[in-house]
């Protein structure tokens, strides 16, 4: 099924997941590799049957890969976006390994909505750059309270080193050249994907609500790896460092 066909299949959640993945891979060509490393480190540190919190879960990309690799795992997905949660709910309907929670991570009481008080692993990807430093630091403190002793937190996201402006500019130019070619080949970008969702009979209403919540895109921060690692240690984690990176993206791991 092509992206253009999705509007005729109003409840084809697999098609929506595939379309979301393609759109995200336009920005993040190494997306699957970082998911693989993320799950490698889950296995190494907390085993193959973890209780996971999928933080800012979106459509459930992490949860889907977690359960495919570790069938005995369980996942709680938490997000505020009604459209992406609708896709997640459709995808995981009937799977008792998955719980989905609607909550605003900037609300200090959001952890009270979770079904568990503690998790083996809290995982997130391409989401927390929507937050500025101060609310992100507060969130890290809440995450530290949810991770059990010996458990892990991983954040895969843009983490910019402002001390390397020439390297940053070269990487950005190369990335945009590749993205421009993919665009000419017909890939959907962020705005076009959401335009498609807004036309779908099932997703139109939750898409309208998500724009009321977020607008076009939140204006957050992308601080350096060093900032993230320092704040995580200050908030209660014993160790924190990067475990994978690409020219444009980083996977940071913290252990409680």
């Amino acid at each position: 099924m092509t992206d253009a066909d999705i509007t005729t299949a109003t409840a084809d959640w697999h098609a929506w997941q595939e379309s979301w993945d393609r759109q995200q891979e336009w920005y993040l060509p190494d997306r699957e590799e970082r998911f693989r490393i993320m799950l490698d480190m889950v296995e190494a540190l907390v085993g193959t049957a973890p209780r996971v919190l999928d933080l800012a879960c979106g459509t459930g990309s992490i949860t889907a890969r977690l359960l495919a690799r570790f069938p005995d795992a369980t996942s709680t997905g938490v997000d505020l976006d009604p459209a992406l949660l609708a896709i997640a709910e459709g995808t995981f309907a009937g799977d008792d390994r998955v719980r989905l929670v609607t909550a605003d991570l900037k609300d200090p009481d959001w952890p009270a909505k979770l079904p568990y008080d503690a998790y083996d692993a809290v995982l997130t990807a391409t989401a927390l750059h929507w937050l500025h430093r101060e609310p992100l630091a507060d969130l890290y403190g809440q995450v530290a309270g949810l991770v059990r002793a010996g458990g892990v937190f991983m954040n895969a996201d843009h983490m910019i080193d402002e001390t390397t402006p020439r390297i940053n500019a070269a990487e950005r130019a190369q990335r945009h050249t590749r993205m421009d070619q993919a665009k000419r080949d017909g890939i959907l970008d962020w705005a076009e994907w959401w335009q498609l969702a807004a036309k779908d009979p099932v997703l139109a209403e939750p898409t309208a609500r998500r724009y009321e919540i977020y607008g076009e895109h939140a204006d957050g921060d992308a601080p350096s790896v060093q900032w993230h690692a320092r704040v995580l240690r200050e908030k209660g984690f014993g160790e924190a460092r990067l475990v994978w990176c690409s020219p444009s993206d980083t996977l940071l791991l913290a252990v409680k």
Side-chain angles (χ1 to χ4, degrees):
M1 175 177 290
T2 67
D3 294 316
D5 293 331
I6 291 176
T7 54
T8 66
T10 59
D12 189 341
W13 302 117
H14 176 74
W16 279 109
Q17 289 283 2
E18 288 290 320
S19 180
W20 176 259
D21 283 343
R22 287 194 298 273
Q23 178 259 124
Q24 288 289 286
E25 287 164 0
W26 184 60
Y27 299 94
L28 300 161
D30 301 307
R31 187 169 178 255
E32 292 302 325
E33 175 69 5
R34 68 176 187 172
F35 284 144
R36 182 184 69 80
I37 298 299
M38 177 182 281
L39 296 181
D40 282 350
M41 299 311 297
V42 166
E43 181 174 4
L45 286 158
V46 298
T48 60
R51 176 189 292 169
V52 170
L53 175 60
D54 187 349
L55 192 68
C57 65
T59 66
S61 297
I62 291 174
T63 292
R65 289 154 180 81
L66 172 80
L67 299 179
R69 178 161 169 177
F70 306 128
D72 294 328
T74 60
S75 180
T76 302
V78 59
D79 207 301
L80 186 61
D81 189 312
L84 298 185
L85 279 174
I87 296 173
E89 288 163 357
T91 299
F92 300 108
D95 191 335
D96 60 8
R97 296 172 298 175
V98 180
R99 303 276 293 274
L100 295 169
V101 175
T102 300
D104 184 350
L105 297 181
K106 291 185 286 187
D107 179 350
D109 295 325
W110 72 266
K113 296 185 176 182
L114 301 177
Y116 304 107
D117 294 330
Y119 289 85
D120 301 307
V122 177
L123 310 176
T124 189
T126 326
L128 300 190
H129 65 272
W130 285 58
L131 299 177
H132 289 290
R133 282 170 171 80
E134 184 174 346
L136 180 55
D138 291 341
L139 179 65
Y140 278 170
Q142 293 172 308
V143 168
L146 290 167
V147 175
R148 66 161 173 84
V152 301
F153 167 69
M154 277 182 269
N155 180 12
D157 211 341
H158 312 298
M159 300 181 189
I160 297 173
D161 188 341
E162 295 179 352
T163 69
T164 60
R166 289 181 294 171
I167 296 172
N168 297 349
E171 180 280 320
R172 185 166 53 252
Q174 183 186 55
R175 175 162 41 91
H176 281 278
T177 296
R178 174 190 55 78
M179 291 169 69
D180 289 345
Q181 181 57 56
K183 197 76 170 62
R184 289 191 291 271
D185 292 339
I187 197 73
L188 291 177
D189 64 18
W190 172 268
E192 290 167 334
W193 191 91
W194 281 109
Q195 289 168 8
L196 193 66
K199 297 174 183 177
D200 182 85
V202 173
L203 291 179
E205 190 273 334
T207 296
R209 284 192 284 121
R210 71 88 57 194
Y211 274 99
E212 292 175 1
I213 295 169
Y214 294 113
E216 290 294 328
H217 201 287
D219 181 24
D221 291 333
S224 68
V225 173
Q226 291 77 16
W227 182 92
H228 287 273
R230 174 180 58 80
V231 172
L232 285 164
R233 287 191 292 266
E234 289 173 353
K235 295 297 184 178
F237 287 92
E239 302 175 12
R241 71 167 176 87
L242 71 85
V243 290
W244 175 89
C245 69
S246 73
S248 62
D249 208 37
T250 296
L251 174 59
L252 185 137
L253 165 64
V255 179
K256 185 75 174 289

